[in-house]
Amino acid sequence: MVGMGAMIGAGIFVLTGLAAETAGPAAVLVFLLNGVVTAFTAVSYAELAAAIPESGGGYAFVKEAFSPFLSFLMGWMLWFAYMIAGALYAIGFGSNFVTFLGLVGVHLPGTATLGPVSVPVGATLLSLVIVFLLVGLNALSASASGGAETLVTLVKIAILLVFAGFGAFAVDLGNFDPLFTQGAASLLPAMGLTFIAFEGYDLIATVTEEVKNPTENIPKAIGYSLVATVVVYLLVVFVAVGTLGAERLGAAGETAIAEAAAGFMPTLPVVGSGATLVAFGAVFSTVSALNAVVLASSRVAFAMGRADQLGGGLGRIHHRFGTPLRAVVVSAVVMVLAVAFVPINQVSNLSSLFFLLSFVLVNGAVIKLRRERPDLARPYEIPYYPLFPVLGILCNVALGLFIDPVIWGMGALWLGLGAAGYLILERGEDT
Amino acid sequence: MSRVVIVGGGRVGLATAELLDEQGDSVVVVERDPDRTEELGGEYVASVVAGDGTDPATLDQVDLERTDAVAALTGEPGTNLAVCLLAERRADVRTVMRVNDPGAETRYEDLVDAAVCPEEAGAIATVSAVLAAEVEPLADTEGVSLRWVRVGEDASVAGRALSEVALPRGALVVAGEAGIPAEDTELVPGESYLLALEPGVVEETTDLFRG
């Protein structure tokens, strides 16, 4: 449920607008194809998670298969990807909360001029506030988060199904004609942009140690959440494009779903306007997704710290709070910087890029372990091996290539920083 | 966090893997029997490699380079010794082997880093349990055994100050429930004392205390 929680969570609310802006009505295909591509990696996660009982997700698997340096890079990338995903959800929260307040009649100042630049004060401030709030919560208590995740996920799915249910009657198929307003080639960059919406496998694998009868249930959980996620996404995007049209969705950006809802939702008893309900869903989802990734990023940092791969005591559990305090604080700083200074589609691209690269490594880990450790017991085996891991690698690399060079530059900067730190640390240990 | 390879996934191997996994160490179990391999997978405390631990081709699949310790825990001391020697040749790892006879540990001193006898450990725990903590043996160290012994109501030392009691040579009261005893410490009936005992005086001294 945690994995599905993060996946279904905010991805759909925040990314539908971006996908529509890039690919037009074909945004529906974008989510479908992304579902197919992640399925290749999903089976790899299933095989590894069933065979290697370690918490820490993709990082733990890569650590088992590859050299310490590569596994460090894997952890370093995942950590960053979660932090940046957190920034994305925080931005989504801010904008959607402003929309929600607008629907219930509270208006915040839209933009303010700060020197030469105009800043959307209300939304950005709200984004920063939620980052501080959730990071604070996660820094001070290890058990505060994660408990109500199942319920939260069900509420999110229910709200999305209500949206899709009412919207289905308002869909104008004319909005899908022509399907490729931006050209068929626009699918690939849009897929790269929204890939982050499918990050949940790693989260499922991160918490595997807490599942009953895990060798059987983890592969199942991964399969079910993939199918459920793709179905819900397709319904929602189909309705959103069908009612509002791709152009207006794109213009609405991270509040696209709430905008679409405003067009057709009837007035509901108790909650008032149906659009308010959907906007509330968006706010709610982004908070829970943000919480999930803050938790995930601190778990990755903790796993790295325990393996002595993170210097400066970053992964060390604080003696009083029981959490990797320093890692959480660093996560917060990165999230805040990203929220404040990086445009939303670049944030999304950056996180997607790192997830793509880490998925390449996970597929690679499957292949390497099959070759080097044929006798490792694998309670779940990928069918038609090596078809899916190879396809997974090819597709993930292909999508990565369509991501902006500027984003690659930012990514390389982070990797270089990590690699330099790692080598210095290693040298320190040798002498 | 340590990485530990356990060869032999029987009851001792599994119980060891569970304890290590609980405290966050990463464990790989090598098991020969296919049915047992499947059971171990279901326990989800360790990765399982199916094969014979004395076969170099199997042992090469556990990544000894990154391993801190190898524990050979099959029921066959010969197999266990072979696994330890093989592992030591392959990589710089700590080796632990299981022996079956209490007291056999010392025979392998030069060959492995440590030898354990689960039967002896089980016997020690059982003695504590059947005597309801009247006598609690701790692990034997070189030539000296340590055990907690409770002072009986009608024991000859009951209520006496330590200075009044003539303990046999080779026996020492190391600690009491209240701390480290002094000359004038009274041996209170019902309380336990930690005795360090040389082999020849074990029976005599415990008898003094238990009554």
Side-chain angles (χ1 to χ4, degrees):
Chain A
M1 274 323 235
V2 174
M4 215 157 95
M7 276 209 287
I8 286 202
I12 191 70
F13 285 105
V14 181
L15 298 168
T16 305
L18 290 176
E21 189 181 5
T22 316
V28 179
L29 285 182
V30 167
F31 282 97
L32 180 65
L33 291 176
N34 262 341
V36 173
V37 170
T38 40
F40 301 145
T41 307
V43 289
S44 290
Y45 264 101
E47 173 168 312
L48 293 172
I52 303 174
E54 303 269 338
S55 58
Y59 170 68
F61 306 149
V62 170
K63 186 153 68 77
E64 199 52 45
F66 290 106
S67 69
F69 182 63
L70 258 186
S71 67
F72 164 78
L73 284 185
M74 173 77 181
W76 190 245
M77 286 198 299
L78 270 184
W79 188 31
F80 194 61
Y82 281 126
M83 289 191 267
I84 293 295
L88 176 71
Y89 297 145
I91 294 172
F93 166 82
S95 321
N96 277 297
F97 199 61
V98 169
T99 307
F100 174 72
L101 288 178
L103 284 167
V104 296
V106 182
H107 290 282
L108 291 175
T111 54
T113 324
L114 216 141
V117 275
S118 74
V119 194
V121 182
T124 305
L125 262 182
L126 281 170
S127 305
L128 294 177
V129 166
I130 195 70
V131 168
F132 282 120
L133 211 67
L134 286 181
V135 164
L137 204 68
N138 277 286
L140 296 185
S141 161
S143 57
S145 40
E149 197 60 44
T150 306
L151 182 70
V152 169
T153 304
L154 290 177
V155 169
K156 285 192 293 201
I157 295 175
I159 291 177
L160 283 172
L161 288 180
V162 166
F163 169 83
F166 281 106
F169 298 104
V171 168
D172 173 9
L173 287 176
N175 278 324
F176 290 99
D177 187 29
L179 189 57
F180 296 106
T181 51
Q182 315 290 322
S186 66
L187 279 185
L188 288 165
M191 283 172 72
L193 185 65
T194 55
F195 195 74
I196 182 184
F198 293 88
E199 79 190 296
Y201 305 111
D202 196 69
L203 280 178
I204 295 180
T206 309
V207 295
T208 46
E209 282 193 344
E210 293 135 35
V211 182
K212 271 184 209 139
N213 194 4
T215 49
E216 204 175 299
N217 285 336
I218 291 164
K220 272 192 198 159
I222 291 178
Y224 291 155
S225 21
L226 174 66
V227 172
T229 307
V230 171
V231 168
V232 173
Y233 277 12
L234 288 183
L235 281 175
V236 170
V237 178
F238 175 74
V239 165
V241 175
T243 51
L244 197 61
E247 218 166 286
R248 286 168 62 198
L249 271 185
E254 61 270 21
T255 58
I257 296 293
E259 294 281 325
F264 63 78
M265 287 298 279
T267 308
L268 300 172
V270 189
V271 287
S273 144
T276 317
L277 178 71
V278 174
F280 170 75
V283 170
F284 188 68
S285 300
T286 43
V287 172
S288 99
L290 178 56
N291 188 44
V293 293
V294 169
L295 191 67
S297 78
S298 72
R299 279 195 198 206
V300 171
F302 170 58
M304 292 177 76
R306 270 205 337 180
D308 287 329
Q309 289 215 307
L310 210 51
L314 273 177
R316 200 182 304 145
I317 297 283
H318 191 270
H319 62 275
R320 193 134 138 242
F321 303 119
T323 56
L325 190 67
R326 287 186 201 178
V328 175
V329 169
V330 171
S331 305
V333 172
V334 173
M335 279 187 212
V336 164
L337 290 177
V339 166
F341 298 112
V342 187
I344 181 164
N345 63 346
Q346 291 198 4
V347 169
S348 180
N349 260 324
L350 194 53
S351 186
S352 284
L353 174 64
F354 277 140
F355 278 117
L356 284 168
L357 290 177
S358 68
F359 282 9
V360 168
L361 278 179
V362 168
N363 283 311
V366 167
I367 295 172
K368 189 155 187 276
L369 286 177
R370 285 260 192 161
R371 293 171 66 113
E372 290 179 359
R373 300 185 207 171
D375 297 328
L376 179 70
R378 293 176 174 84
Y380 169 81
E381 288 197 15
I382 299 176
Y384 309 116
Y385 175 84
L387 181 66
F388 294 130
V390 170
L391 274 178
I393 291 178
L394 292 179
C395 292
N396 289 330
V397 168
L399 288 182
L401 291 180
F402 279 92
I403 288 176
D404 194 357
V406 176
I407 304 295
W408 275 93
M410 289 164 88
L413 200 68
W414 174 257
L415 284 185
L417 197 71
Y422 180 84
L423 293 177
I424 290 169
L425 209 71
E426 279 287 279
R427 187 161 302 173
E429 265 169 26
D430 287 347
T431 51
Chain B
M1 180 171 94
S2 299
R3 182 185 156 90
V4 180
V5 170
I6 291 174
V7 176
R11 282 182 304 217
V12 176
L14 176 58
T16 309
E18 278 171 346
L19 279 180
L20 287 167
D21 176 64
E22 250 169 52
Q23 64 194 37
D25 293 313
S26 132
V27 189
V28 181
V29 174
V30 178
E31 171 59 42
R32 203 170 46 175
D33 177 59
D35 291 339
R36 184 64 180 167
T37 304
E38 200 167 310
E39 280 172 36
L40 291 169
E43 294 293 334
Y44 211 62
V45 293
S47 320
V48 183
V49 172
D52 185 334
T54 56
D55 181 349
T58 301
L59 217 48
D60 283 342
Q61 291 182 42
V62 302
D63 202 354
L64 284 174
E65 284 297 319
R66 286 195 302 119
T67 300
D68 300 295
V70 173
L73 302 178
T74 74
E76 300 293 330
T79 306
N80 296 340
L81 182 60
V83 169
C84 287
L85 295 179
L86 183 58
E88 199 133 51
R89 284 227 157 182
R90 288 287 153 115
D92 179 25
V93 289
R94 181 175 168 80
T95 53
V96 177
M97 72 174 280
R98 169 181 169 185
V99 296
N100 290 344
D101 306 321
E105 293 98 326
T106 48
R107 296 214 297 270
Y108 298 95
E109 262 173 357
D110 308 335
L111 300 166
V112 298
D113 291 313
V116 290
C117 179
E119 283 80 358
E120 188 179 2
I124 288 174
T126 308
V127 168
S128 290
V130 292
L131 297 180
E134 189 185 332
V135 178
E136 274 188 86
L138 302 177
D140 284 4
T141 52
E142 205 64 36
V144 175
S145 72
L146 291 171
R147 60 191 69 196
W148 285 96
V149 181
R150 192 187 299 151
V151 174
E153 294 296 335
D154 49 3
S156 44
V157 301
R160 310 264 174 209
L162 200 49
S163 54
E164 294 177 77
V165 178
L167 287 172
R169 261 185 90 85
L172 179 69
V173 180
V174 180
E177 287 172 30
I180 306 295
E183 287 282 289
D184 56 346
T185 301
E186 188 196 337
L187 297 168
V188 185
E191 286 197 7
S192 291
Y193 296 85
L194 180 63
L195 306 183
L197 303 168
E198 283 179 9
V201 299
V202 173
E203 188 183 341
E204 188 184 345
T205 320
T206 36
D207 198 55
L208 268 177
F209 277 70
R210 290 167 74 189

